[in-house]
Amino acid sequence: MGWRPSGGGDTFTLDHSNMGAAQWSRAAKGYELKVLSRTSGVVQLDGFLQEDFDRLSKCFKLWYSINLEQKEHALRGWNWGKGEFGKAELAFNVQNRPAFEIPYSEISNTNLAGKHEVAVEFSLPAGPDDTGTNGVLGGARGRGKKAGGGRDQLVEMRFYIPGTAKKDAGDGDEDKSVDGEDEQEEQNAASLFYDTLMDKAEIGEVAGDTIATFEDVLHLTPRGRFGLDMYDSSFRLRGKTYDYKIQYQSIKKFMLLPKPDDMHTLITIGLDPPLRQGQTRYPFLVMQFKRDDEIILDLNMTEEDLKEKYNGKLQPRYESPIHAVVAQVFRGIAGKKVVTPSKEFVSHHQQSGVKCSIKANEGHLFCLDKSFMFVPKPATYIAFDNILSITMSRVGGAVSASRTFDVTIALKGGAGEHQFSNINREEQSPLEEFFKAKNIRTKNEMLDDSSALIAAALKDEDMASSDEEVVAARADRGSADEDEESVDEDFRASSESDVAEEYDSAHESSGGSDEEMEDAEEDERRPAKKPKREA
């Protein structure tokens, strides 16, 4: 049986001896013919008319000795049912009828999203000519470009699987229902579903022998420790909760960044499409290694494969710091260029990066030859070609403003801006020289601020000198100051009389003092009473 694209392209053929069964059912576009092959999984062809069934049924029975079985789908719309693993696909059945099927070739990864929840991620097209399949099991969709042109793609599906389940002893289909009375040991149903799917979809180590393995690698983004398994066409991150399978063709950037603490080195990998963890996207992986940690690694490859496949880009044995070995193995297998910080920039402390912050997140800004890179979180990449201008400003109070400054990078086309704050004042000169060397339009607002600060400082000096003159003048007055002190003594005496009045003693003396004060201030009180009469 053969199939040829109407727009031209390679013809897909399926040998008669490779056909196991055939099914006819309704589909999104008319009717669908599904051929279950013996070796290459499921072959799906849709777009048929209802009257094509009789012709196809006769052809399959006459030429291939296969009965074309009509299969009805469940149309109740229920979202609960029973998951069954077939030879080439996962079927979700409602009342013993399939609601939908997922070919294993469409599944790129799966994770335990919770105690009773399994997340299944689907392959995405890498380009307009890609169908989105992982290419392991083949099939018509793998060659026929069936869904590669679709505008919308289903990227993830989650199954809630409560209770426990028992694994069948044979290698046949796995039953994931909570029913069944087999004598095998029970285990969490979601974990059993996850393990079976990993095995059926060939996501784990069965996808190929590992070329190299690095254990317990610290990742700053996403946070955690992962085992790193490197295969021929992909690499896998193994964590306690999440596992990720990433194709080498998804790697767009690979950077080796020495951290300014003289102790660690960061490896930053840019991904497109980004890594997904639920609703969170990670466009960059950030790994951290200690510079002093060394490793001895023997690649799991023959010398012939090293010469033929990689043309001497890989060595059979490595004995170097672990960050250098990881970078060399990635460069050899994935064929990606390793980007390092620019030699034109050296910070005040003779480092390649500058400590700064994006909002409340502290990190380091690295100056590369064609871009800026901020790590670890949020990992931010800014290419020089997208920069409109850079503004250096001083923000904050008087104390912090003199020690730190901010750098704001405005992007072209109104794409927004990135602000890096709390940069040490000593890094101003190296950064400014680097901006000029790269011909980036730069505005230094700190010059205006410094002139304003100088003017304010001069004004403070004038005020201080005037205060000194006042103090000197008061020191020369002499007797006048003594007169003021005598007035204060009279005031204290009156206050003491008030205290005495509170205890009903020396009441007349307090009254006398009040009368004396009224006589002395009579001229001042009369104008104050005049407005009361008018009112």
Side-chain angles (χ1 to χ4, degrees), residues 45-76:
L45 302 168
D46 66 2
F48 292 99
L49 301 176
Q50 187 175 4
E51 52 267 24
D52 294 333
F53 172 74
D54 294 334
R55 295 171 56 197
L56 286 172
S57 179
K58 291 179 182 179
C59 290
F60 271 82
K61 191 169 185 179
L62 181 62
W63 294 345
Y64 310 131
S65 301
I66 295 175
N67 290 326
L68 186 57
E69 176 189 359
Q70 287 197 22
K71 199 163 189 177
E72 296 292 334
H73 282 80
L75 303 177
R76 287 183 175 271

Side-chain angles (χ1 to χ4, degrees), residues 299-326:
L299 297 185
N300 186 21
M301 295 182 68
T302 62
E303 294 184 1
E304 295 179 356
D305 292 338
L306 288 173
K307 293 180 181 179
E308 294 178 1
K309 290 184 178 181
Y310 302 102
N311 195 19
K313 294 181 180 178
L314 292 174
Q315 301 176 10
R317 181 182 176 87
Y318 290 92
E319 186 174 353
S320 299
I322 184 170
H323 66 271
V325 175
V326 172

Side-chain angles (χ1 to χ4, degrees), residues 243-288:
D243 287 1
Y244 304 99
K245 179 185 175 183
I246 305 168
Q247 301 289 331
Y248 290 133
Q249 62 185 8
S250 300
I251 299 177
K252 305 303 178 184
K253 303 174 185 67
F254 192 96
M255 289 166 276
L256 187 65
L257 308 173
K259 203 171 181 180
D261 59 359
D262 288 327
M263 295 176 59
H264 300 92
T265 298
L266 304 176
I267 289 182
T268 305
I269 302 176
L271 302 175
D272 188 19
L275 195 68
R276 297 180 68 255
Q277 181 177 311
Q279 299 296 324
T280 308
R281 292 172 174 262
Y282 295 100
F284 288 92
L285 299 178
V286 182
M287 310 177 190
Q288 180 171 287

Side-chain angles (χ1 to χ4, degrees), residues 463-483:
M463 294 178 64
S465 61
S466 62
D467 292 341
E468 291 176 358
E469 293 175 357
V470 172
V471 172
R474 291 183 60 184
D476 294 338
R477 288 173 62 182
S479 60
D481 292 336
E482 294 176 358
D483 294 340

